Amino acid sequence: MKCRHCGAVLQHVFLDLGFAPPSNAYRLVADLSRPELYYPLRLKVCEQCWLVQTDDFASADQLFDSDYAYFSSTSTSWLDHARNYVEEIIPALCLDQDSFVVEVASNDGYLLKNFVGHGIPCLGVEPTASTADYAESIGVPVAREFFGEKFAVEMVEKNGKADLIIGNNVYAHVPDINDFTRGLSVALKSTGTITLEFPHLQNLIEKVQFDTVYHEHFSYLSLHSVSAIFEAAGLRIWNVERMPTHGGSLRVYGCHKDDPRQNRDSVHAVLQAEKEFGLLDIAVYQGFQQRVETVKDRFVAFLIDAKQQGKSVLAYGAAAKGCTLLNFSGVKKDLLPMVADAAPSKQGKFIPGCHIPIVSPQALVDLAPDYLIIFPWNIAAEIIAQNQFLAERGTRFVTFIPEMDIR
Ligand SMILES: [Zn+2]
């Protein structure tokens, strides 16, 4: 396999999570007696451009079908994050009724609805029908397409170029990251700004966030790798901010290469921090597998101990993180009987691979388990606050990454 960005042959597999189904391929009751597709789940690192990437097996069409069930608006902290971003960026870029804002992977309109509220013209780009339908129902215009160079050319003909292009948690999910980035360049006005947010590779390695690895997450990005990809498309990163979201993300600000804006000191600082951490050295990647297996062993041991002691254990959050951890661990419903999730579109279905049933959080009210495992550790505080009534009934909350934490 060759690097998705620079084409160098990839030599180093540094994480092997075995085989797993796509994490959003939720199963229906009828599916449980049918065969299920599994793909290898491995991370490789390119020694030329240091892009970390998954094996290239499943096509994007297969992974992001029209049943794709994730709705951004189910997380209140993410909604706050989106609203705060909009309130900051409008004055910073002097956006008004004559501006044009594009969001790639606009999901259910969780972010663009804030621009609609300010009367600023915008367009969402979203291939997933269920979320696009919802966005349109709340007044957010949507192009139901995958974003790339071809789409960008068509969009410019129809709608003109954009003053601001936003991509939150989409860049890492793009199979052809070069084509996507050329699309950004084509769609951006000469004075325009791009902001992309993505989980920072340094946190993945440092904090053993291996459950953020899944097939739909093709690239694991650093400022080094993203700078190289931008450069190749005639773009430049002039500012970067660290965000607490998703366990530690970067928000990069891009522009055309010849834009007069000077690079801020933050760009040099983050590049330097990555280098000092060792992201440009193969040694930091070696040994990661063993740290991952330690976390997995602790998770499985906890479930077995609880079962032997007659304690009840349920989990919260039926998304990719839980799917990766459960399938790598080989845990089934004998050890973990159900997972609660607030998204109605997932309830009544089953987690891919391990086939653990997904229930409404309402079920927790009746069951009040001894332990509630929180899979999305990045929003653990929010979930604990929502389920404070369980703490009052003796439930303890458990997360496993970077290490076991019982609260
Ligand atoms: Zn490369």
Side-chain angles (χ1 to χ4, degrees):
M1 180 188 163
K2 290 183 175 169
C3 172
R4 286 202 170 86
H5 169 56
C6 75
V9 175
L10 299 176
Q11 314 271 13
H12 298 283
V13 175
F14 72 94
L15 179 65
D16 187 344
L17 297 176
F19 277 61
S23 67
N24 58 32
Y26 297 100
R27 313 306 285 172
L28 303 169
V29 175
D31 297 328
L32 299 184
S33 49
R34 292 185 184 134
E36 189 171 3
L37 268 180
Y38 278 57
Y39 301 88
L41 187 53
R42 294 190 291 239
L43 285 189
K44 296 176 171 176
V45 61
C46 174
E47 272 193 287
Q48 294 299 313
C49 70
W50 299 100
L51 180 65
V52 170
Q53 46 208 294
T54 52
D55 274 323
D56 196 4
F57 287 103
S59 76
D61 289 1
Q62 258 172 291
L63 295 173
F64 300 99
D65 67 17
S66 58
D67 294 330
Y68 184 46
Y70 181 74
F71 281 71
S72 295
S73 294
T74 55
S75 167
T76 51
S77 57
W78 187 241
L79 288 176
D80 290 345
H81 179 75
R83 192 172 47 242
N84 293 338
Y85 165 85
V86 173
E87 295 307 324
E88 279 174 32
I89 202 84
I90 289 174
L93 300 179
C94 305
L95 300 174
D96 60 23
Q97 285 76 357
D98 298 324
S99 306
F100 180 42
V101 175
V102 171
E103 187 188 15
V104 184
S106 50
N107 196 272
D108 57 13
Y110 73 102
L111 187 143
L112 286 181
K113 68 179 182 185
N114 297 293
F115 286 104
V116 171
H118 282 278
I120 296 172
C122 62
L123 177 69
V125 186
E126 176 55 63
T128 308
S130 55
T131 51
D133 287 346
Y134 183 82
E136 285 181 337
S137 79
I138 59 166
V140 174
V142 181
R144 292 159 186 249
E145 304 274 355
F146 283 99
F147 186 86
E149 192 171 10
K150 181 172 169 284
F151 171 82
V153 169
E154 291 164 6
M155 189 204 84
V156 169
E157 275 175 23
K158 207 170 152 191
N159 308 82
K161 294 192 179 196
D163 296 275
L164 171 63
I165 306 177
I166 305 158
N168 287 340
N169 298 308
V170 59
Y171 205 43
H173 292 78
V174 173
D176 188 343
I177 200 164
N178 290 337
D179 176 69
F180 183 96
T181 312
R182 284 194 300 270
L184 294 176
S185 187
V186 167
L188 190 70
K189 272 189 193 167
S190 61
T191 55
T193 301
I194 298 161
T195 72
L196 301 179
E197 290 181 28
F198 48 81
H200 192 190
L201 173 67
Q202 189 174 333
N203 287 299
L204 188 160
I205 305 284
E206 200 170 0
K207 298 173 187 163
V208 212
Q209 297 167 349
F210 72 96
D211 61 344
T212 63
V213 176
Y214 45 93
H215 300 102
E216 305 90 320
H217 187 179
F218 294 100
S219 304
Y220 299 79
L221 301 161
S222 63
L223 187 56
H224 270 94
S225 57
V226 173
S227 296
I229 298 164
F230 264 50
E231 183 95 359
L235 298 168
R236 172 167 62 83
I237 291 166
W238 60 273
N239 189 19
V240 57
E241 293 168 351
R242 293 182 191 272
M243 319 296 297
T245 45
H246 294 278
S249 296
L250 294 182
R251 177 190 287 161
V252 297
Y253 292 75
C255 60
H256 286 288
K257 210 181 269 181
D258 53 5
D259 186 287
R261 279 174 283 191
Q262 299 285 312
N263 285 5
R264 300 254 176 101
D265 293 344
S266 57
V267 176
H268 176 72
V270 173
L271 289 172
Q272 189 62 24
E274 288 182 347
K275 199 173 172 192
E276 281 166 16
F277 177 75
L279 286 185
L280 310 186
D281 185 345
I282 197 68
V284 91
Y285 301 93
Q286 291 161 342
F288 187 63
Q289 178 83 23
Q290 201 184 339
R291 294 168 63 210
V292 168
E293 288 175 12
T294 301
V295 171
K296 185 262 292 177
D297 292 351
R298 195 70 203 84
F299 172 60
V300 176
F302 172 85
L303 291 173
I304 293 172
D305 285 351
K307 187 178 182 183
Q308 287 174 344
Q309 290 168 21
K311 303 281 191 189
S312 55
V313 184
L314 300 177
Y316 196 102
K321 289 186 182 72
C323 185
T324 293
L325 178 60
L326 288 165
N327 283 308
F328 178 51
S329 306
V331 167
K332 304 281 194 296
K333 65 181 177 187
D334 59 311
L335 287 176
L336 186 64
M338 56 186 86
V339 178
D341 197 287
S345 56
K346 296 179 192 172
Q347 294 161 9
K349 296 180 182 171
F350 297 81
I351 294 190
C354 62
H355 298 174
I356 293 174
I358 304 168
V359 298
S360 156
Q362 186 61 30
L364 300 171
V365 178
D366 305 326
L367 296 167
D370 294 308
Y371 296 104
L372 184 68
I373 294 172
I374 298 173
F375 286 134
W377 40 262
N378 53 309
I379 53 167
E382 177 183 341
I383 292 168
I384 291 171
Q386 283 165 1
N387 292 281
Q388 206 46 49
F389 66 94
L390 288 176
E392 285 155 19
R393 293 170 63 183
T395 298
R396 301 188 71 190
F397 302 97
V398 195
T399 49
F400 286 91
I401 289 173
E403 55 196 3
M404 188 169 79
D405 181 20
I406 302 181
R407 283 175 260 188

